[in-house]
Amino acid sequence: MRADLSPELAPRLAEELGLKPAEYEHVVEILDRTPTVTELYMYSLMWSEHCSYKHSRKALRMFPTEGPAVLQGPGENAGVIGVGDGWAVAFKMESHNHPSAIEPYQGAATGVGGIIRDIFTMGARPIAILDSLRFGTLDKPRQRYLFEGAVAGIGGYGNCLGVPTVGGEVYFEEAYEGNCLINAMAIGLMREEDLMRAVAAGPGNLLVLIGSTTGRDGIGGASVLASQEFDEKAEEKRPSVQVGDPFTEKLLIEACLELLSRDLLVALGDLGAAGLTSSASEMASRGGVGLEIDVTLVPQREDAMKPFEIMVSESQERMLAVVTPESLGEVQDICERWGLPATVIGQVTDTGRFVIREGDEVVGDMPAATLAHDAPIYDPAAERPAYLDELHAFDPLAEFDHPDEPEMLTSTLFDLLASPNICSRRWIWEQYDHQVMQGTVVLPGSDAAVLRIGLPGRGEVTERGIAVSSDCNGRYVYLDPYVGAQIAVAEAARNVACSGGRPAAITDCLNFGSPEKPEVFWTFREAIRGMADACRAWETPVISGNVSFYNESFGQPIYPTPTVGLVGILEDVAHHTTLAFKEAGDVIVLLGETEAELGGSEYLKVAFDTVAGAPPRVDLEHEAALREVLLAAIGEGLLRSAHDCSEGGLAVALAESCIAGGVGADVHLDLDENGDMLPPVAALFSETQGRAVVSVVEDDVNRVIEIALSHGVPYAVVGEVGGESLRIDGLVDAEVAALEGIYEDALATYVHPEETFASEELREG
Amino acid sequence: MRFGVVVFPGSNCEQDVVHAIEHLGFAAEYLWHGDMDLGDVDAVVLPGGFSYGDYIRCGAVARFSPIMAEVSRFAERGGPVMGICNGFQILAEAHLLPGAMLRNTGLKFICHAQPLRVEESVCHWLDLPAGIVLDVPVNHNEGNYYCDAETLARLHAGGQVVLRYCEPDGSLAVGGSAPNGALDDIAGICNERGNVFGLMPHPERVVDPVTGGTDGAAFFTTIVRRLAEVAG
């Protein structure tokens, strides 16, 4: 045993690595001696916030995680649900915020790489990527650099893999300026019986490292980057960002799926945060076995690497497999065919200990389960933020002088459609291959992406489908974490239902500031409580997820952003719907009722640069009933289009359906007849939840109304598709071509402010 | 009639091409880049993707794969070969087609539906009347076709320009309709004989109506019909 640290030096190194004094004491207690350098590195990483969830674990227990469709809940590399006929999908969302804030291209690229590995580790072929992004405002060059870099990185990696990037969302808010968010979600498809778990078993079995060589890149990524907030030293952390090689990842996907399909692996795990340390110790602890690794056997790309460097390196595109000695030859043959090294680096033991050797010398010897499971669990202090009362007291309608003249209202609609948070995302998704694998039935730009279940070209094409959406308006969560988090789930579920999918389960990526700040932690807990209540009520369990804390810069936390990724099921993928109005003469029906809810709205932000008020209410029962109406109507083939109302309210929803369909609409809200007289800005731009704009052939209107009535969902027949303009009562009158020009060009004009665009002339003219 | 679809390390559209072919009712099999035998296939497709990670240059490494020597011999014998996207880049690197693909002028990867005008050509893979506009998606970072003036003149004179990027009505915009800056809006070319054909857009993505359209079917059906006629 190499005793390379004195009892005096060890606690100092521990502190430098981010272990708290009590945590260090606990390590000494577990080992009953002074830890070695290698051991300290391994414990400090495994017990970092990023790997151990030590501040969040308790709160996360609030989530419902079980349901009839759930085949694998949280705790594995990804969650898995059955989607019918023996098919299963694995999915998970994960953050790569801090690396991306330092080096956007590689940070975002390796974020995609990491989440894709989590998916095929489960035995599923990755079939889709979604990305949820948050940046500061685009008037700042640095933010444009981050945004362009992250989009290029996501494309550069995903496009090369041949996995379509089908959806996601992006918001631009000052709150994310010092700490952008890059959340990547991946979805994989498999047969139920092929579900694989990363559980090491069988003493005497071999540990085989497959894929790239190991270097010093990304050392301490999980602890240095992910578990600390940013300050003026952020630039210095650039060496902790990993570099991705999507070509090797593509080979890894093919090789690993082939190994799994031939039943050659006992277990498979990917090397992500904390590298070999976390992958191996988690596999060992799940299986209740021990492991022995000789670091000199690990193929290295740099000279003179120390054992601890090899054990915690976050070099990308590596997988750890457990293989029986009999299968080793075949495993190595298949890997060689794909041009990948597959090297035996150790073996499974029955000692329960994780032993690290450098040749003959032992440099670490720990009870394996303590790395993955003995991290301290904290119960952080929580305190309701003082700012909430002040913000809730704000009454948006009373506070400002709101426009009520048609010209001003029409102009406001233009401003909203040009808002970076609403305008078309085409500039982004046209940089992503969103069609490869022949599964994308509804392209990006609609409420949710719809994918056909099957593996075309491998003899598997079905009529089933899934609809997927990721959502979170951080502004709402900032204003009310409980309600805001519910809205995130509600909107994702509405988007999926508008597309024809029945919501089945969610993954989440919980992005917050420092959990050591009571106000941040209170917000975190409330958000989880809100999501948990919604998920329980709607029977959409949380099957996987990720927590990202310390999203702060210079002491300022981001908007709390619990991003939701939701997957819904379509029994028949032909029964899907898009947001586009289809044909003149179709009747427009509004499902749900509009209330005066402008708190936290995009309208307030765009028109008055204000983020205040209470966010819209969420009525859990109504949301569920609305989805039932949508699904029943889509199932009967009654809806020509369906689009949920979200940021920008009814007016923006109508405009988006017009733009997508290239056709106008004549809408009458009959504001006076209801007797409740909403002010025009509320009628048009209120962000009341639980609403959807649908269009229907005239003959089918009565049937749609019947369905709405039977579920107790309020409805209003509000107008008709047709013409070249969107007209809403006497309040809005705008040519669809002009709306489209503004909507489609806006994002590119923000990214390249020096260029001029035709739409500006259109609007002027 | 059997299509062979070559799988290079990093190819990622091979299953899409096979699906498209099977969807149209024809047979297809995968060919491995390391093999030196095309088996008994009647036509070869080099699919899109990022062979060898597009390292060095797109297609620059893949052209040295063992199977490419066989593909060249097959082409010399008059066997039909189609290269889609990365496959087109490989054919250019292998000198089975003239010219090269530069980076898109916009310096960005592009993926969107794209109108293509059918030109009067000697291509064996397409016999639709000139002037017809097809809607076929593009999906690439290096699709900016380039060749020297002499080659360009030869391509035009020899009926080797098969497809050009165009506006939805089939016209060519002043200053170019190519989304990637391609010379003369060239989207696809063939060799003098017409049996070797390369194009940047992805016809295999518009064969199955559930996922897009049917404008890409013509390429596959044309070559099948032609081979049947030749076989008599």
Side-chain angles (χ1 to χ4, degrees):
Chain A
M1 182 81 199
R2 182 189 296 173
D4 47 10
L5 278 179
S6 68
E8 292 75 35
L9 220 48
R12 273 193 257 163
L13 176 61
E15 193 189 344
E16 203 163 298
L17 295 177
L19 277 177
K20 297 191 162 62
E23 293 171 345
Y24 171 74
E25 287 307 322
H26 191 41
V27 171
V28 173
E29 209 173 291
I30 287 169
L31 298 176
D32 199 20
R33 60 175 162 76
T34 304
T36 66
V37 172
T38 304
E39 288 167 342
L40 263 188
Y41 264 90
M42 290 171 66
Y43 275 109
S44 74
L45 278 158
M46 288 306 292
W47 290 7
S48 70
E49 182 57 47
H50 189 77
C51 294
S52 75
Y53 294 81
K54 57 191 172 188
H55 288 97
S56 61
R57 199 170 278 217
K58 258 188 148 167
L60 293 173
R61 288 183 193 140
M62 282 189 269
F63 282 142
T65 58
E66 286 168 9
V70 178
L71 301 176
Q72 174 66 58
E76 262 288 348
N77 284 292
V80 182
I81 57 168
V83 295
D85 284 350
W87 290 97
V89 294
F91 60 97
K92 189 185 183 185
M93 192 187 296
E94 213 166 58
S95 63
H96 228 221
N97 304 338
H98 284 182
S100 306
I102 292 175
E103 213 301 293
Y105 186 98
Q106 291 298 342
T110 53
V112 172
I115 196 67
I116 288 282
R117 284 194 298 282
D118 279 331
I119 296 303
F120 70 79
T121 300
M122 303 299 296
R125 175 169 285 275
I127 57 164
I129 300 165
L130 290 88
D131 297 280
S132 176
L133 314 175
R134 304 289 183 277
F135 302 93
T137 53
L138 290 174
D139 51 342
K140 307 255 176 33
R142 168 86 186 163
Q143 299 305 313
R144 296 201 289 271
Y145 160 73
L146 291 173
F147 174 49
E148 276 204 275
V151 169
I154 290 163
Y157 206 99
N159 296 346
C160 184
L161 289 185
V163 179
T165 300
V166 299
E169 10 94 67
V170 61
Y171 289 86
F172 304 92
E173 304 265 9
E174 287 85 351
Y176 302 106
E177 190 169 311
N179 194 126
C180 62
L181 301 184
I182 308 292
N183 295 177
M185 172 175 172
I187 302 170
L189 180 67
M190 67 180 128
R191 300 294 303 168
E192 279 184 15
E193 62 269 22
D194 294 335
L195 175 55
M196 185 78 184
R197 295 184 175 90
V199 181
N205 285 339
L206 305 170
L207 293 173
V208 179
L209 189 60
I210 303 172
S212 289
T213 51
T214 298
R216 291 193 173 86
D217 46 331
I219 284 184
S223 55
V224 176
L225 279 175
S227 301
Q228 288 175 19
E229 57 194 80
F230 282 140
D231 51 27
E232 56 283 338
K233 289 185 187 147
E235 265 312 289
E236 294 170 17
K237 292 174 180 167
R238 195 180 291 268
S240 293
V241 179
Q242 313 89 329
V243 176
D245 172 10
F247 173 55
T248 300
E249 177 113 334
K250 167 70 176 165
L251 301 177
L252 266 181
I253 295 175
E254 300 304 332
C256 289
L257 290 178
E258 188 171 340
L259 293 170
L260 290 169
S261 73
R262 297 194 189 190
D263 219 4
L264 290 170
L265 304 182
V266 177
L268 181 66
D270 83 299
L271 276 68
L276 201 45
T277 294
S278 105
S279 179
S281 62
E282 280 171 13
M283 276 164 89
S285 69
R286 285 192 199 115
V289 295
L291 301 175
E292 210 170 286
I293 287 176
D294 180 351
V295 294
T296 62
L297 299 176
V298 175
Q300 294 155 42
R301 65 174 77 142
E302 290 180 72
D303 288 338
M305 285 184 71
K306 299 194 174 70
F308 82 84
E309 292 176 318
I310 295 165
M311 287 309 297
V312 306
S313 160
E314 293 186 9
S315 290
Q316 297 289 290
E317 291 92 23
R318 297 178 300 158
M319 301 291 285
L320 184 65
V322 177
V323 177
T324 62
E326 302 78 55
S327 304
L328 180 66
E330 213 176 326
V331 167
Q332 287 179 320
D333 285 348
I334 288 172
C335 290
E336 195 187 324
R337 186 161 175 272
W338 287 105
L340 294 170
T343 316
V344 176
I345 61 164
Q347 58 181 336
V348 179
T349 67
D350 59 5
T351 62
R353 299 195 69 86
F354 192 176
V355 177
I356 317 295
R357 292 176 184 280
E358 187 176 31
D360 289 337
E361 195 178 8
V362 173
V363 296
D365 183 352
M366 301 146 280
T370 61
L371 283 156
H373 291 311
D374 274 19
I377 292 181
Y378 294 116
D379 207 350
E383 192 185 316
R384 187 173 185 274
Y387 71 79
L388 286 177
D389 287 333
E390 191 187 326
L391 288 171
H392 288 181
F394 183 89
D395 178 358
L397 278 175
E399 205 71 27
F400 297 113
D401 198 8
H402 295 278
D404 51 10
E405 294 298 313
E407 215 163 282
M408 277 297 290
L409 289 167
T410 302
S411 169
T412 305
L413 174 60
F414 273 104
D415 291 343
L416 280 166
L417 288 173
S419 157
N421 292 334
I422 289 181
C423 67
S424 166
R425 272 72 183 109
R426 185 182 297 274
W427 183 89
I428 303 173
W429 53 259
E430 285 194 344
Q431 294 183 55
Y432 302 149
D433 185 347
H434 47 265
Q435 289 180 306
V436 67
M437 296 188 86
Q438 302 265 44
T440 318
V441 176
V442 173
L443 304 186
S446 202
D447 284 30
V450 176
L451 299 164
R452 176 172 61 187
I453 292 292
L455 297 169
R458 293 186 178 79
E460 303 271 16
V461 177
T462 78
E463 287 176 354
R464 307 183 75 81
I466 54 171
V468 292
S469 178
S470 76
D471 289 283
C472 180
N473 181 326
R475 210 183 276 162
Y476 295 156
V477 189
Y478 164 73
L479 294 173
D480 186 332
Y482 181 85
V483 173
Q486 290 198 329
I487 292 177
V489 187
E491 188 178 351
R494 258 193 333 262
N495 282 335
V496 162
C498 278
S499 305
R502 177 172 292 280
I506 74 163
T507 182
D508 60 55
C509 189
L510 309 172
N511 307 274
F512 288 78
S514 165
E516 296 165 52
K517 294 182 179 167
E519 295 197 341
V520 170
F521 193 74
W522 184 86
T523 309
F524 175 72
R525 226 178 43 191
E526 280 299 286
I528 290 182
R529 196 169 65 83
M531 284 171 75
D533 285 352
C535 289
R536 200 167 281 118
W538 297 335
E539 292 172 354
T540 48
V542 180
I543 63 158
S544 60
N546 165 239
V547 178
S548 173
F549 280 136
Y550 302 100
N551 290 293
E552 306 198 354
S553 59
F554 298 99
Q556 258 328 94
I558 56 162
Y559 281 161
T561 312
T563 313
V564 170
L566 189 143
V567 173
I569 299 170
L570 290 83
E571 300 288 331
D572 183 350
V573 77
H575 284 175
H576 67 265
T577 303
T578 68
L579 62 82
F581 284 149
K582 299 294 182 305
E583 216 165 300
D586 288 349
V587 175
I588 303 168
V589 178
L590 172 65
L591 299 171
E593 273 179 329
T594 306
E595 291 171 39
E597 295 186 306
L598 291 169
S601 67
E602 189 63 22
Y603 162 72
L604 267 198
K605 175 73 179 172
V606 165
F608 303 102
D609 197 21
T610 297
V611 175
R617 288 181 314 107
V618 179
D619 178 337
L620 298 185
E621 270 177 43
H622 168 73
E623 288 283 352
L626 172 71
R627 292 197 297 267
E628 291 304 327
V629 172
L630 288 164
L631 291 171
I634 292 171
E636 290 184 28
L638 301 172
L639 300 192
R640 307 270 281 183
S641 73
H643 185 24
D644 95 304
C645 294
S646 56
E647 287 87 6
L650 179 60
V652 165
L654 287 164
E656 287 174 338
S657 289
C658 286
I659 292 167
V663 61
D666 216 337
V667 176
H668 300 279
L669 299 178
D670 294 333
L671 297 175
D672 304 341
E673 287 176 21
N674 292 337
D676 50 8
M677 284 286 282
L678 285 178
V681 288
L684 295 173
F685 308 127
S686 182
E687 296 181 7
T688 303
Q689 298 295 296
R691 294 179 301 162
V693 173
V694 302
S695 65
V696 184
V697 179
E698 199 176 355
D699 289 349
D700 292 336
V701 174
N702 285 342
R703 178 64 194 135
V704 170
I705 289 173
E706 261 174 47
I707 295 173
L709 283 172
S710 72
H711 288 91
V713 169
Y715 69 89
V717 176
V718 294
E720 197 174 289
V721 176
E724 292 181 355
S725 295
L726 170 61
R727 294 197 184 86
I728 307 176
D729 290 307
L731 304 173
V732 167
D733 188 346
E735 282 184 21
V736 174
L739 294 171
E740 180 182 3
I742 289 290
Y743 181 76
E744 290 293 352
D745 282 356
L747 201 48
T749 60
Y750 299 127
V751 180
H752 302 293
E754 66 281 3
E755 292 174 28
T756 56
F757 290 82
S759 63
E760 289 172 27
E761 291 158 31
L762 257 180
R763 189 180 170 184
E764 301 301 320
Chain B
M1 170 68 205
R2 263 184 111 64
F3 286 87
V5 180
V6 180
V7 183
F8 298 97
S11 294
N12 64 28
C13 297
E14 72 275 19
Q15 72 274 30
D16 296 14
V17 174
V18 167
H19 171 68
I21 293 168
E22 289 176 347
H23 183 83
L24 292 168
F26 310 129
E29 66 185 74
Y30 295 104
L31 301 172
W32 185 246
H33 70 103
D35 290 345
M36 285 185 283
D37 182 3
L38 297 181
D40 59 353
V41 304
D42 305 291
V44 172
V45 181
L46 308 187
F50 290 69
S51 59
Y52 292 94
D54 274 357
Y55 294 143
I56 302 178
R57 260 190 338 270
C58 308
V61 183
R63 68 158 290 205
F64 293 107
S65 285
I67 203 163
M68 282 308 293
E70 239 356 88
V71 171
S72 292
R73 276 191 283 275
F74 180 75
E76 276 160 31
R77 289 199 305 268
V81 177
M82 174 164 67
I84 301 168
C85 198
N86 192 225
F88 184 13
Q89 294 162 341
I90 295 168
L91 290 176
E93 287 287 339
H95 301 298
L96 288 170
L97 288 174
M101 253 63 65
L102 308 179
R103 187 150 183 219
N104 298 345
T105 42
L107 303 182
K108 290 206 179 340
F109 191 95
I110 52 170
C111 178
H112 55 73
Q114 173 66 45
L116 301 174
R117 190 173 81 184
V118 175
E119 301 292 301
E120 192 73 54
S121 82
V122 299
C123 182
H124 294 186
W125 290 80
L126 195 64
D127 58 4
L128 290 172
I132 283 189
V133 177
L134 301 174
D135 228 354
V136 182
V138 289
N139 183 68
H140 58 251
N141 200 35
E142 284 91 4
N144 176 1
Y145 181 78
Y146 183 79
C147 63
D148 59 38
E150 198 185 315
T151 308
L152 182 65
R154 214 170 50 233
L155 285 175
H156 281 301
Q160 290 176 250
V161 176
V162 184
L163 295 165
R164 294 172 84 181
Y165 303 107
C166 67
E167 302 305 306
D169 66 357
S171 65
L172 302 178
V174 180
S177 288
N180 48 25
L183 187 66
D184 260 16
D185 294 322
I186 289 175
I189 56 170
C190 62
N191 61 354
E192 285 173 29
R193 215 164 150 183
N195 61 316
V196 180
F197 169 46
L199 76 171
M200 286 312 296
H202 286 261
E204 81 278 12
R205 293 188 177 187
V206 274
V207 166
D208 183 345
V210 176
T211 50
T214 53
D215 279 9
F219 303 91
F220 302 97
T221 53
T222 304
I223 199 69
V224 169
R225 199 167 354 100
R226 187 181 178 95
L227 285 173
E229 282 165 13
V230 172

